[in-house]
Amino acid sequence: MAFTDVKPFKGIFGSEWTGWANFEALFGMPEFVSVLGNTLAIKLSYMAVVGTVSLVLAIALSGIQSARLRNAFVLLFLVPYFIPSTVFADVAAYLLSLKQSVFSIDSLLLADPAYFRLVVYLLEALKTCGIPVLLALAAIRAYQSDHRICSRLYQEEARRELRRLLERGPHRTEILLNVV
């Protein structure tokens, strides 16, 4: 599609072939470098913020002993992911507007370049952090499970070794004192 001038009634294959013309027009726009830089900055920052927030939340959730309570929190973090982005953006715009906001806002945050990226980061993190939290929590739980299994195996191996040493011969008391 990027190499054609798509006409809806002709379809992709019936439309005129343009080759690199669309890319030349895109790269020739004066705003291209600014838009590309802004997009990369937002996405890289988003990955850092969501990764950090997800890891911290997963560590906090792994400390909850009750499986029901822990799963309820995970579900709470997953719910925004299933809300359509347009609905999420409309609610955010409504909450951040000057007239309807429940917060005491004295300027339009989404129109101010100083706040735009921050607001986008926070909204993206709020909407999508549920799945990374779920994955990080699963990894933490798997690590904890493996650690418990290894600990039990080590304890059983140590007991077998102690029994073997005690059954060897006349120096049982001496071996026992060295082990303890």
Side-chain angles (χ1 to χ4, degrees), residues 21-87:
N22 290 337
F23 290 101
E24 289 172 358
L26 175 67
F27 297 144
M29 290 180 180
E31 302 87 10
F32 175 73
V33 173
S34 174
V35 169
L36 180 64
N38 194 30
T39 301
L40 289 175
I42 287 173
K43 285 303 171 184
L44 292 174
S45 300
Y46 159 76
M47 289 186 335
V49 168
V50 168
T52 305
V53 167
S54 299
L55 185 60
V56 168
L57 287 173
I59 290 170
L61 288 174
S62 70
I64 298 175
Q65 297 299 320
S66 169
R68 277 190 164 170
L69 183 59
R70 185 176 52 248
N71 292 339
F73 277 114
V74 169
L75 181 64
L76 182 68
F77 292 125
L78 280 172
V79 167
Y81 184 77
F82 296 102
I83 297 172
S85 294
T86 54
V87 173

Side-chain angles (χ1 to χ4, degrees), residues 8-11 16 36 45 69 101 128 130-131 142 144 150 153:
F9 294 111
K10 290 184 178 180
E16 179 185 345
L36 180 64
S45 300
L69 183 59
S101 179
T128 61
I131 290 179
Q144 289 172 341
C150 289
L153 289 174

